[in-house]
Amino acid sequence: MKPRIAAGALALGLLAAACGSDAKDSSSATTKAGAAAPTTAAAAPTTAAAAPTTGGGEVRWRTRPDNQAEADLYRTIGEGLVKEKKISSTLKYEPGDNEGSPYQDKLRTELASGTAPDVFWIPGTDVADFVTKGLIMDLRSMAKDSKVYKDADFYPEPMFHLTFDPKTAKAGGPLWGVPRDVSTFAIYLNQDLIAKSGAENPIDLEKAGKWDWAALKRVSDKIASAGGATKGWGMSGWWANYGVFMNAAGGGFFNADRTACGLDSDGSIAGLTYARSLYEGTSSIPYGDDPEKAYNAGTLGMFMNGRWATPGARKNTFNWDVVGVPTGAKGPGNWLFWGAYVVNAKAKNPKAAWELVEQLTTAETQGKISELGANIPSRVSDVAISKFLTFSPPKNNQAFINGLKNKPTAEGPLWKGSWPAYDKAMNTSVEAVLKGSKSVADFKSTICNDTKSAFTA
């Protein structure tokens, strides 16, 4: 196992990587903290923040839990804040859909109709869309007097986007939300199936520096050789999964300044070609089928997911652990995932909503959530990292920390253009490739035209 890295050093390393401009990162899927601001400012938010009122009353809030265990976790956290009188309002927790953009789509519909919750979590990719459409509140006026919150307490990548001002195209001004968590991808392993099949153990391969794309395919095929319902590999049908392989081959979703499609680059095509190879033959469950369900049922040897899948995995009776994502031509290609609690621009009681956001992101609350397995604290802290490494199972928590250390591509919104439109067009085309109804060659020749309209909005 590699030595633990200090969180302070990690933050500096991530920020340094963000400021870099080498060829490998130039086609990255996201803008990093400290990188040059987008050259064209997005439209200014159309909804002004409401004036803060007093605390009290009921605050409705929502997250997107990955499973029932995580939903129960957040409900318990909210109940504890009320019981301990950490907040002056009552709470109503509403878990959202657990997969993909329907969660965000439902929020947009509810925001338009005036039925959305007061506080809700959104993934980092969607911050720009919610900001430029005036759907969420600028919290800076309340945060400046806070005794709990400071920008510098959180990883710089999320804070770049959460303080980005679309009027000036610079970071450091408004405050659109507070990071709830960070995570990287890891491969969840059914060690019993791996041992029974006689396949090489991915953790041993990683320690030996031999955990790469070829090894992943080899282990998957060996596990599936048992036949029946047993399969070797599965991954969910959303952007980050195939994006890992594009990143690992030196590609990405966008061009260097994130103003146009980069999906037809050599690296992106190489990554997609490899991802397609995982679905040739019978060793994988069909692309888009829920791999977590099959994994927890004990019939799937490996699937890729973030830390948020840990609470569900902890209920399993088989021997399981995690390993880092395999290395491609340009590295492991991992993501720095993050999401933030934001406040509805039309929240009836902004002060009470902000009070909840403060308490949901304290070190104490984040420690409770991390201990139950759902995520890695978004606060920059040596103590937080040290404590996280003790929260087992899995035994190999270091895999997630190594993922943060190994220059992950930071998840980020698309400030020039529409991420939801781009995501929809990209995902439709990638799904066709991974399900075998479209060739990689057809994808390469058409994808940037298919996604072009996302940049003209």
Side-chain angles (χ1 to χ4, degrees):
M1 181 177 292
K2 296 180 181 179
R4 179 181 65 83
I5 58 173
L10 172 62
L12 292 174
L14 291 173
L15 183 57
C19 297
S21 58
D22 60 285
K24 173 183 171 183
D25 290 336
S26 67
S27 58
S28 156
T30 57
T31 300
K32 311 283 183 69
T39 55
T40 303
T46 57
T47 304
T53 60
T54 58
E58 182 182 77
V59 174
R60 295 169 52 215
W61 66 293
R62 181 179 298 169
T63 65
R64 187 188 68 189
D66 191 65
N67 46 54
Q68 187 59 48
E70 191 177 348
D72 293 342
L73 179 158
Y74 285 108
R75 182 175 290 104
T76 299
I77 289 292
E79 291 171 352
L81 293 175
V82 173
K83 183 178 181 180
E84 297 165 17
K85 297 183 179 180
K86 296 290 184 65
I87 60 173
S88 57
S89 56
T90 59
L91 297 180
K92 182 179 181 182
Y93 176 63
E94 305 171 358
D97 297 328
N98 69 349
E99 195 69 47
S101 61
Y103 170 86
Q104 295 95 289
D105 292 344
K106 183 177 181 180
L107 275 173
R108 292 182 181 94
T109 299
E110 291 176 337
L111 287 162
S113 65
T115 60
D118 303 289
V119 173
F120 47 89
W121 175 91
I122 56 174
T125 48
D126 288 74
V127 169
D129 183 66
F130 278 72
V131 168
T132 56
K133 290 179 178 177
L135 302 178
I136 57 178
M137 187 178 295
D138 180 358
L139 305 172
R140 182 60 73 190
S141 63
M142 291 181 283
K144 68 180 181 181
D145 297 322
S146 176
K147 296 180 181 179
V148 177
Y149 170 83
K150 291 190 300 183
D151 288 7
D153 287 339
F154 298 88
Y155 285 109
E157 287 77 9
M159 295 313 301
F160 174 86
H161 292 291
L162 288 171
T163 64
F164 187 84
D165 188 343
K167 295 179 181 178
T168 64
K170 295 181 180 179
L175 180 65
W176 303 117
V178 181
R180 181 192 72 178
D181 56 340
V182 297
S183 185
T184 53
F185 264 153
I187 308 297
Y188 285 74
L189 307 172
N190 183 324
Q191 298 285 51
D192 289 342
L193 287 183
I194 291 170
K196 183 178 180 180
S197 71
E200 302 156 283
N201 190 306
I203 295 177
D204 293 339
L205 289 170
E206 184 177 56
K207 289 177 180 178
K210 297 179 180 180
W211 182 231
D212 55 17
W213 285 1
L216 173 63
K217 184 70 166 64
R218 192 168 63 245
V219 172
S220 175
D221 289 344
K222 187 69 173 179
I223 294 169
S225 66
T230 301
K231 299 294 180 182
W233 172 256
M235 65 182 186
S236 297
W238 58 286
W239 58 265
N241 293 270
Y242 51 81
V244 160
F245 300 112
M246 292 182 177
N247 293 345
F253 294 161
F254 306 111
N255 65 350
D257 62 3
R258 293 171 52 83
T259 59
C261 166
L263 290 164
D264 61 353
S265 69
D266 290 346
S268 297
I269 295 303
L272 183 61
T273 300
Y274 172 77
R276 176 72 189 98
S277 74
L278 293 172
Y279 295 93
E280 294 169 349
T282 60
S283 72
S284 300
I285 64 172
Y287 177 72
D289 283 9
D290 185 0
E292 189 170 12
K293 182 177 180 180
Y295 178 79
N296 290 337
T299 60
L300 183 63
M302 302 181 291
F303 87 108
M304 185 162 60
N305 214 338
R307 181 67 182 186
W308 53 85
T310 293
R314 284 181 174 176
K315 293 183 177 181
N316 293 326
T317 58
F318 56 79
N319 180 26
W320 69 278
D321 208 337
V322 297
V323 70
V325 296
T327 301
K330 299 294 183 178
N334 217 325
W335 295 100
L336 171 62
F337 294 107
W338 62 277
Y341 288 115
V342 298
V343 175
N344 186 338
K346 296 181 180 179
K348 294 179 180 179
N349 195 329
K351 184 176 180 180
W354 167 247
E355 186 180 53
L356 175 60
V357 171
E358 284 183 302
Q359 291 300 321
L360 288 174
T361 55
T362 63
E364 181 182 3
T365 299
Q366 289 196 348
K368 291 178 181 177
I369 295 172
S370 295
E371 186 170 8
L372 290 172
N375 52 44
I376 303 169
S378 60
R379 286 177 170 266
V380 179
S381 167
D382 289 341
V383 173
I385 293 297
S386 296
K387 196 169 184 180
F388 169 79
L389 290 170
T390 70
F391 296 153
S392 296
K395 295 179 182 178
N396 190 24
N397 280 320
Q398 189 70 42
F400 292 102
I401 302 304
N402 289 345
L404 287 173
K405 181 179 66 173
N406 292 330
K407 296 183 179 180
T409 300
E411 175 184 6
L414 185 60
W415 287 100
K416 179 175 169 50
S418 169
W419 165 256
Y422 191 83
D423 179 32
K424 182 177 180 179
M426 172 178 66
N427 207 51
T428 297
S429 194
V430 169
E431 182 178 0
V433 172
L434 297 184
K435 288 188 173 182
S437 61
K438 176 182 282 192
S439 70
V440 173
D442 286 344
F443 175 91
K444 182 175 182 178
S445 66
T446 61
I447 188 59
C448 286
N449 184 63
D450 291 345
T451 57
K452 186 176 181 180
S453 62
F455 297 96
T456 59

